[in-house]
Amino acid sequence: MTNPESAQQPTTDNDQLVTSEDQNHPANLIPSLCAKFWTLGWVTGTGGGCSIRDDDLVYIAPSGVQKELMKASDLYVLALSKQTDLKNRVYLRAPPCGKPSQCTPLFLAAFTKRGAGCCIHTHSHWAVLVTLILETRGPGSDKMFEINNIEQIKGFGRGFRKQGNLDFHDTLRIPVIENTSHEEDLTEFLEEAMDKYPDTYAVLVRRHGVYVWGDNVHKAKTTCESLDYLFQLAVEMKQLGIPWLSDIPKVKTASGR
């Protein structure tokens, strides 16, 4: 089991890395995003977080900080190319009284394996409820969330290095991995899910939440919003006895499409 405090000491402070007047600078975007996520109930308490990659620099929300009160000075920064072990990291900048997030190696997995520019982790109760509903379906079916024939599915890309978005009739599939006592220990399971399902932009963690990534902040944010909408819809569909998967024939238009 990984020691959550292992080898995570910063090398220096470098406060200039998190000082900028630009609202779109990662050091300003992360606190702003986390405050918005707090209003949605995605990062209640100090759980959940966000990380943004800017070329080789990675900006990471800390652990133990109330997300709606986070400041740029609370952030950690590291150089992605300098990391030889995702669980034993060297930071370029760290707050004097901060604590590195255990989400960090999972964020880094999205950056290294998917070339993502942003990764978001939420504790959305809709995400958690979906994993609980899947549990009731028995072994096998509890490893994957699937839904189709819903307009919001168009908000998802077709997959890693693929062009275009999913269609209304396509089936969106989000794999589910088991939770662990220490969040860092989820890393290998997240990576396995990425390898097994290369087209996914998210991974659910049973009874915990969801990790979502995208090429940039805009794509990660819109994907996370679309996914949370579908999770809520799926829970309400379950309550009404409506199946998540349906067989609806395509309607031919005048153009024949």
Side-chain angles (χ1 to χ4, degrees):
M1 180 175 292
T2 303
N3 180 353
E5 301 296 331
S6 64
Q8 297 183 350
Q9 295 304 312
T11 56
T12 184
D13 276 337
N14 287 332
D15 285 347
Q16 75 276 6
L17 293 173
V18 296
T19 304
S20 175
E21 296 297 325
D22 183 2
Q23 291 184 345
N24 293 317
H25 189 281
N28 296 324
L29 273 178
I30 290 177
S32 176
L33 287 171
C34 285
K36 288 181 172 65
F37 298 158
W38 178 80
T39 65
L40 296 171
W42 291 0
V43 292
T44 50
T46 62
C50 178
S51 180
I52 296 174
R53 178 176 65 87
D54 182 12
D55 291 328
D56 191 46
L57 292 181
V58 175
Y59 296 77
I60 311 154
S63 177
V65 173
Q66 291 181 316
K67 298 303 188 288
E68 78 279 16
L69 302 177
M70 187 188 305
K71 304 181 295 296
S73 58
D74 293 322
L75 301 183
Y76 285 79
V77 185
L78 57 76
L80 190 60
S81 64
K82 302 298 183 182
Q83 309 307 309
T84 58
D85 182 348
L86 296 187
K87 291 186 179 181
N88 295 281
R89 302 174 295 280
V90 177
Y91 292 90
L92 295 176
R93 194 269 171 188
C97 300
K99 181 179 178 182
S101 172
Q102 285 196 43
C103 300
T104 301
L106 292 101
F107 292 149
L108 298 186
F111 300 146
T112 57
K113 295 183 74 68
R114 287 292 180 271
C118 179
C119 187
I120 298 167
H121 173 45
T122 86
H123 287 188
S124 161
H125 72 282
W126 298 117
V128 174
L129 281 170
V130 161
T131 69
L132 293 173
I133 291 171
L134 288 170
E135 283 184 16
T136 68
R137 298 189 172 187
S141 60
D142 63 334
K143 303 297 183 183
M144 181 71 65
F145 168 71
E146 296 178 291
I147 192 167
N148 66 0
N149 294 314
I150 300 293
E151 181 69 12
Q152 198 65 36
I153 290 171
K154 292 181 180 178
F156 297 84
R158 288 200 168 273
F160 184 47
R161 294 178 177 170
K162 293 182 178 180
Q163 297 296 317
N165 282 24
L166 294 178
D167 183 72
F168 166 77
H169 291 287
D170 288 327
T171 298
L172 176 70
R173 295 180 174 89
I174 306 296
V176 182
I177 61 175
E178 299 301 325
N179 198 26
T180 57
S181 296
H182 296 291
E183 195 143 9
E184 286 194 339
D185 294 330
L186 288 169
T187 307
E188 61 183 284
F189 301 113
L190 181 81
E191 291 178 328
E192 287 175 4
M194 287 179 170
D195 291 338
K196 189 173 181 180
Y197 305 101
D199 290 338
T200 189
Y201 285 92
V203 171
L204 280 158
V205 183
R206 192 180 311 284
R207 296 174 175 254
H208 181 151
V210 65
Y211 280 86
V212 183
W213 57 87
D215 294 341
N216 50 48
V217 174
H218 171 75
K219 289 185 178 180
K221 178 177 176 289
T222 54
T223 297
C224 198
E225 290 171 346
S226 296
L227 195 56
D228 205 64
Y229 168 90
L230 288 172
F231 289 155
Q232 179 176 356
L233 187 67
V235 171
E236 293 172 344
M237 288 171 72
K238 173 66 175 177
Q239 292 172 332
L240 295 170
I242 302 172
W244 297 343
L245 295 174
S246 57
D247 184 13
I248 299 177
K250 290 186 178 181
V251 176
K252 289 186 178 180
T253 62
S255 62
R257 290 187 298 175

